[in-house]
Structure formats: structure tokens, C-alpha cells
Amino acid sequence: MRWDNLRLADAGRDDPAVPLFARDAVTRTFDTPEFRGMTFYEIQARSIINRVPAASRVPFEYTINPYRGCGHRCVYCFARKTHQYLDLDSGADFDSKIVVKVNAAELARKELASPRWGGHHVAMGTNVDCYQRAEGRYRLMRGILAALRDAANPFSILTKGTLILRDLDLLTEAAERAEVSAAVSVGFVDPGVWRSVEPGTPDPHRRLETCATLNDNGIACGVLMAPILPYLTDSPAQLDRTVREIAQAGATHLTPIVLHLRPGAREWWLAWLSREHPRLVPRYLELYGRGAYAPKSYQERISAQVKELAARHGVGRTAPAMARRLPPPPAPEQEAPEQLTLL
């Protein structure tokens, strides 16, 4: 959709710096280190429970997304193109211009109470992270979770953040009334790769500690091992290390996903790759030359390796809470040679 009728009232129609939003939107900046250089557009959304198009390759039908854009700044994020619908770019704007649906909790309560609502499962964090850093200031998820709890509505949350633990009380209360689950996204545990491609996220080891804490408190939590980055995090040693630490965190399950490069994310990723690993650009162009997804044979090979490692390390075999201890984050490493493991 193109929202041309929802432009900010105080901006000229030809102002390229202003995105397409409701007329009563409020623009804010915060002079704090974690938000420096970021702009937040506080809008009154018209609805909050979204139905996913049938053509989407996802295992859920309804979502709630209180934010658009994300401060995690993951170079590969597949949701980047959604910012172009607002006349913003999928690169720096996606990382720094965040849409905040300030009435999300109010809308969630209203829509969940509607006679037309069928009590369907609601997935959150599936487009951009609902527990990105902005949530620490806006606290939208507490109201949304309270609404889901009161409606006894099943839901799940996917996050790269640790802020979900702030709402552990609401999660456990909701789990007494309906099915509640969570997953943390940890595609790799290599500190150098993490700092380079996910600079706004918590350390992967902290995410795995979050997984352990959720499970210890009765919230079933698995790990989305995504994305697995060809030539960067797909070596046997890298995969083994990541799966081993996921198992030690007590994850209920593990789902590997190889990097996919949809329009928007593709351009941003290849620009980063040309700066940081120029030798890999031809290989990526060969691997992703026919579309957004790596060849099926490559995906199947990686999935088989991860499945075997998960069985070996015991992913899904619950350990007592006091016996489970994650290894400390490794010390910074010297620059390692590039991994060329595809061929």
C-alpha cells in the first residue's frame, strides 16, 4: 500500500525526508547513546492484528507488529524492503527511522474482543523484532501481552532481544490460560561475525541465556538458527559450535535457516559484503544468482548437518535448571581467514 493520503500535516508533499504516515504522527529523537542518530515516528495505527497473505512461506496466519524498522541493524534483514512502502530506503532508514504504533495495546485489546475474532494463534517478532531496543522506552509489549492474556489467546514470540525477560510475569500468566511459546534467533555464536552483521543486537550468548531462563520458567523456548551465512558461518566447526551451545541452553527445538536475500536486503547485504569480504562477492552472486534463496541442494546439506549435530548434542533433551550452565562468551579473536566451505 502507498499511504499517500496519510502524510504528515506539517510537511510539504515534495519533502523527501518525511515518510508517509498519519496526519497526527509525532516525530521524536532522543539524545541518549543507544538512540543517537535515530528518529521515531509515533503513529496511531488503524489496526494491529494482521492477516498474513496466503502466498507467504510462513507457518502462521496472524501477526502483531508494534514497530516498523529495527534498531538491531542486521545487515541481512529480510524485512528491509517494507520501509520502501513508506518512501524510506531499505538501508540506513530501516535501521534508524522507526515507526512506533503507540496505540498497539489498545487496538490489540479491542480486536481480540471482537465477535469476529476467532481466537487464532498470533505470532509476534516475525517481521521486525518486537523486543528491539525501542521497546525499552515505549513498553508496548506489556499492554499487548496483557490483552492476549486476558483474552486467553494463544501466541508465540520470536526475538533476538533479551528484553523479553522483563515481561516474564505476563508470559507465565498467559501460559496458564493458553498455549504460549517463544524462540530466540541465534544463527551463529562467532563474536566477530556477530559484531559485524548484527551490531545492534545482544551478544548471542545472552540470547541463549534468555532461552534457558524462559524454559526454566515454563515458557517453551526453542532456537531459530538463522541465518546461516554461506562462507562465513557454515563450516563444520562453526555449525558444531553453534549447535552445541544451543543444546547447552536447553532449547526445546532447533530450526536452521540458510540466509535468503530478498530485494531490499539483497542490495544492502551485497554492499556490505563488497566492503568487508570483497572476495566473496562473486561466490554470492553465483549462489544467489537465480533468486532470493540458495540452491536447494545446499540448503538440504546444511539442514542435514544441523540435524545430525542436534541429535549428537541432545537438543530437546531437557536438563535440570541448576545443572545447565552456558560457557562464557569467548575473548575477542584475531581476524580469522574467510571460510570457503560451499564447494
Side-chain angles (χ1 to χ4, degrees):
M1 65 188 159
R2 292 294 302 163
W3 297 4
D4 286 308
N5 60 326
L6 301 177
R7 190 175 291 272
L8 286 170
D10 59 349
R13 292 190 61 84
D14 297 325
D15 183 355
V18 179
L20 306 176
F21 294 132
R23 295 181 182 278
D24 58 350
V26 176
T27 304
R28 297 190 191 277
T29 58
F30 303 110
D31 189 22
T32 54
E34 66 271 25
F35 297 130
R36 190 162 294 137
M38 300 180 70
T39 302
F40 297 89
Y41 300 96
E42 300 175 359
I43 69 166
Q44 296 287 326
R46 293 179 176 177
S47 63
I48 198 64
I49 300 179
N50 312 298
R51 187 165 189 167
V52 179
S56 299
R57 300 171 59 172
V58 293
F60 47 83
E61 190 175 359
Y62 293 92
T63 64
I64 290 178
N65 296 296
Y67 302 96
R68 295 180 67 128
C70 187
H72 284 340
R73 310 203 312 276
C74 300
V75 180
Y76 51 75
C77 183
F78 71 89
R80 287 184 171 277
K81 188 174 177 61
T82 61
H83 247 41
Q84 295 178 7
Y85 304 149
L86 307 176
D87 276 4
L88 297 170
D89 71 56
S90 60
D93 284 351
F94 182 85
D95 297 337
S96 62
K97 296 183 178 180
I98 312 301
V99 181
V100 184
K101 303 173 186 178
V102 292
N103 61 334
E106 174 188 342
L107 284 176
R109 189 169 293 276
K110 177 181 177 181
E111 293 173 20
L112 290 168
S114 170
R116 296 189 298 273
W117 176 246
H120 310 283
H121 178 97
V122 174
M124 292 176 283
T126 58
N127 188 38
V128 300
D129 203 324
C130 53
Y131 280 107
Q132 60 179 284
R133 284 180 295 172
E135 171 61 16
R137 175 174 289 271
Y138 285 100
R139 301 176 65 86
L140 300 181
M141 284 299 293
R142 287 198 65 81
I144 293 170
L145 293 178
L148 289 162
R149 174 201 62 192
D150 294 346
N153 202 96
F155 65 88
S156 60
I157 298 173
L158 171 65
T159 183
K160 278 190 176 77
T162 57
L163 190 57
I164 188 174
L165 296 181
R166 179 203 64 190
D167 297 336
L168 191 55
D169 57 333
L170 291 170
L171 294 172
T172 54
E173 291 169 8
E176 294 174 356
R177 306 186 183 190
E179 183 180 357
V180 174
S181 63
V184 296
S185 177
V186 179
F188 41 83
V189 294
D190 182 279
V193 178
W194 159 60
R195 292 187 185 97
S196 186
V197 303
E198 300 175 345
T201 64
D203 186 300
H205 296 88
R206 291 184 58 204
R207 290 179 238 162
L208 292 177
E209 290 170 0
T210 298
C211 175
T213 301
L214 288 169
N215 280 309
D216 288 345
N217 284 273
I219 305 300
C221 184
V223 171
L224 188 68
M225 188 172 165
I228 296 171
L229 305 174
Y231 307 115
L232 293 170
T233 66
D234 65 343
S235 72
Q238 286 269 36
L239 295 176
D240 180 80
R241 177 181 173 188
T242 302
V243 174
R244 182 176 66 252
E245 295 194 20
I246 289 171
Q248 291 170 341
T252 59
H253 63 278
L254 165 60
T255 304
I257 298 180
V258 173
L259 173 72
H260 55 268
L261 296 175
R262 299 178 186 173
R266 182 186 184 92
E267 297 84 353
W268 197 242
W269 173 263
L270 289 177
W272 172 85
L273 199 67
S274 66
R275 295 192 305 269
E276 302 296 328
H277 302 281
R279 291 173 52 207
L280 296 184
V281 173
R283 293 178 171 86
Y284 266 82
L285 292 177
E286 179 181 2
L287 191 63
Y288 291 92
R290 296 184 178 180
Y293 296 89
K296 187 176 181 180
S297 59
Y298 173 77
Q299 295 186 57
E300 290 177 345
R301 178 166 68 83
I302 294 297
S303 294
Q305 286 181 266
V306 172
K307 182 179 180 180
E308 190 277 329
L309 290 168
R312 182 194 307 172
H313 292 299
V315 174
R317 295 202 292 265
T318 305
M322 294 306 294
R324 182 164 60 243
R325 289 292 182 267
L326 295 173
E333 302 174 350
Q334 298 296 321
E335 183 176 358
E338 295 168 349
Q339 298 177 14
L340 305 179
T341 62
L342 178 63
L343 303 177

